[in-house]
Amino acid sequence: MRRIVILGGGYAGLHAFSVLRSRLGAQLARGEVELTLVSRDRHHTYHGWTGEVLSGDLAVGSTLTPLEPILGNSFMQGEVVSADLPGQSLTVESEGSKREIRFEHLVIAAGSIDPFDRIPGLAENGWCVKNSRDMQKLVGELESRDATAQGTRNVVVVGGGLAGVETASALAARYGRAGSGKVNVHLVSSSEALLPSLRPNFNHIAETATRQLVGQGVQLHQGVRVSRIDKDHVELADGRTIASDLSVVAAGVSFRVLPGTESLPRNEAGQIIADDDLRVRGNHNIWVAGDIASVAHPGTGEPCPANALWAMKQGDCVGRNIARTIKGQSVKGFNFRGLGQAAGLAGQRGVTELWGLQFTGRLAWVIRVLFFAWFMPSRRGALSVLSHLSRNVWGAANGRAAQAPEHPPALPNLSGRLR
């Protein structure tokens, strides 16, 4: 039997799994190929709705898709604690016990983590939105403060990219609706201008987003890094401090090194370097996709962006190439060149770049919502989000606000701070 193991239940891992199951369906049915996806979480986290969740327009459960219904018996919940690449085996810890699983082809799609190693005080005093557990903790904290009127007066958001802009706009809208007194929202960006991924080609929509933030009262601190997050303030690299009751980081990522994979080639950031067919450079049976992959853009040769859509397309490519390899066919290079970028802003507004065209306002928000819903891993989840957001738009047009849909707690055991 030929065994394929995928590490990670994020965008890249799920897309690789889906393509492999589709292209090797007959071999899987006959027991000639075994396909396993290992994830530490039981849910896939969809980051497209972060702004809507933080503003209170969607429940946090809208970002979560259970993995078992999608993967069936191919799903293994657990933490990969070590790898023996020459021996083609992994050690997985699950529910307190360890087991060994073997592979012929290994897909490393473990994604990235928040930059705990680069921002002192983040783990103890900050909040993050990337990991599903951290997002739930933050939403729980926001709801607790809303209910008890604890007097949040200063919020600092770290990150001037798409995620940081969405987060700052969403929190400004949330506190603006709360009517509990003035809340100062600060956005700190290491870049000289917000949304550097849109510049200089799409300055119009980048400047539109910047103006909306300023119009919401968000105070911008550009061209400066955060050097430390403390309990009641944030220290900047230029010596200034900003008072902060709530500090949220939506910028930068780091990468874990799985014991046993230290020999794999990596760039300075810690990403694993891939050839154009997405094999790990110098390895015939180890593949990499998603944030953790350093992949050259097929047009520019520069590194591909580390975001959801690129991870999905890389997962698709890995799936196709492993299927081709097993069938004795030649593999093909990664050839995706991008579709666009988008950020949701308060009041069902946004900025969107799609195939080089720039959109702003309500139209940009609608394009973004439809686009993101299309790429959700569950059609049922996508329809639920679209239904609720459409009611939100209708309610806003008629002066009413729709309630966020009810969801049972998706992940238990949320006690404690960040990892």
Side-chain angles (χ1 to χ4, degrees), residues 145-387:
R145 295 186 185 205
D146 291 345
T148 60
Q150 284 189 3
T152 299
R153 290 295 174 262
N154 297 286
V155 175
V156 173
V157 177
V158 182
L162 296 167
V165 166
E166 285 191 338
T167 299
S169 181
L171 291 175
R174 184 186 190 105
Y175 286 112
R177 288 197 304 263
S180 58
K182 180 174 175 57
V183 175
N184 301 304
V185 178
H186 301 261
L187 178 59
V188 181
S189 170
S190 62
S191 58
E192 295 294 335
L194 298 185
L195 300 170
S197 68
L198 292 173
R199 302 177 188 272
N201 295 330
F202 307 107
N203 278 331
H204 170 62
I205 57 176
E207 290 299 327
T208 298
T210 302
R211 287 194 298 271
Q212 173 154 342
L213 287 179
V214 173
Q216 288 185 260
V218 176
Q219 300 177 46
L220 305 181
H221 307 266
Q222 301 175 87
V224 61
R225 294 184 179 276
V226 168
S227 60
R228 182 173 182 82
I229 297 176
D230 283 309
K231 184 176 181 180
D232 59 358
H233 69 274
V234 169
E235 297 178 5
L236 304 184
D238 61 6
R240 290 180 293 157
T241 62
I242 305 173
S244 179
D245 305 304
L246 183 78
S247 303
V248 182
V249 172
V253 294
S254 294
F255 305 95
R256 291 193 181 99
V257 178
L258 175 65
T261 67
E262 294 87 353
S263 63
L264 298 181
R266 298 176 188 267
N267 62 15
E268 292 183 359
Q271 294 171 296
I272 299 173
I273 299 173
D275 289 328
D276 65 349
D277 59 8
L278 301 192
R279 280 188 174 100
V280 175
R281 185 165 296 174
N283 294 265
H284 74 281
N285 67 331
I286 303 175
W287 312 73
V288 64
D291 286 4
I292 201 169
S294 174
V295 181
H297 189 289
T300 67
E302 296 296 317
C304 290
N307 64 36
L309 184 57
W310 287 86
M312 294 176 192
K313 296 300 183 180
Q314 289 170 12
D316 291 339
C317 179
V318 165
R320 289 193 296 267
N321 278 342
I322 293 178
R324 288 190 179 103
T325 299
I326 287 177
K327 293 178 178 180
Q329 302 168 352
S330 60
V331 300
K332 296 184 178 180
F334 180 67
N335 60 8
F336 179 67
R337 294 170 183 262
L339 293 177
Q341 305 173 74
L345 301 170
Q348 290 88 45
R349 297 293 187 269
V351 294
T352 296
E353 175 264 312
L354 186 63
W355 290 307
L357 301 176
Q358 301 181 70
F359 303 91
T360 62
R362 177 65 58 80
L363 177 58
W365 183 82
V366 170
I367 292 172
R368 165 186 164 271
V369 166
L370 293 174
F371 189 83
F372 283 9
W374 175 260
F375 283 102
M376 286 189 72
S378 163
R379 287 288 174 259
R380 181 179 179 182
L383 291 173
S384 174
V385 167
L386 288 175
S387 174

Side-chain angles (χ1 to χ4, degrees), residues 8-10 37-45 64-68 71 75-79 130-133 411 419:
L37 185 146
V38 183
S39 172
R40 65 189 296 267
D41 295 317
R42 303 188 72 86
H43 296 77
H44 170 277
T45 302
L64 302 173
T65 301
L67 289 175
E68 282 187 271
L71 306 176
F75 174 57
M76 178 185 297
Q77 184 184 15
E79 181 92 25
K130 181 176 178 58
N131 178 274
S132 57
R133 288 180 172 85
L411 290 173
R419 297 177 309 283

Side-chain angles (χ1 to χ4, degrees), residues 1-6 16-37 71 73-74 102-107 287 318-319 321-328:
M1 179 184 293
R2 313 186 76 168
R3 293 183 172 88
I4 306 167
V5 177
I6 301 170
F17 178 91
S18 178
V19 170
L20 283 163
R21 183 167 59 183
S22 173
R23 298 205 168 201
L24 298 176
Q27 291 91 330
L28 289 166
R30 293 194 297 264
E32 299 169 0
V33 174
E34 182 179 80
L35 179 58
T36 301
L37 185 146
L71 306 176
N73 294 332
S74 296
R102 300 191 62 80
F103 64 85
E104 179 176 328
H105 290 276
L106 175 65
V107 180
W287 312 73
V318 165
N321 278 342
I322 293 178
R324 288 190 179 103
T325 299
I326 287 177
K327 293 178 178 180

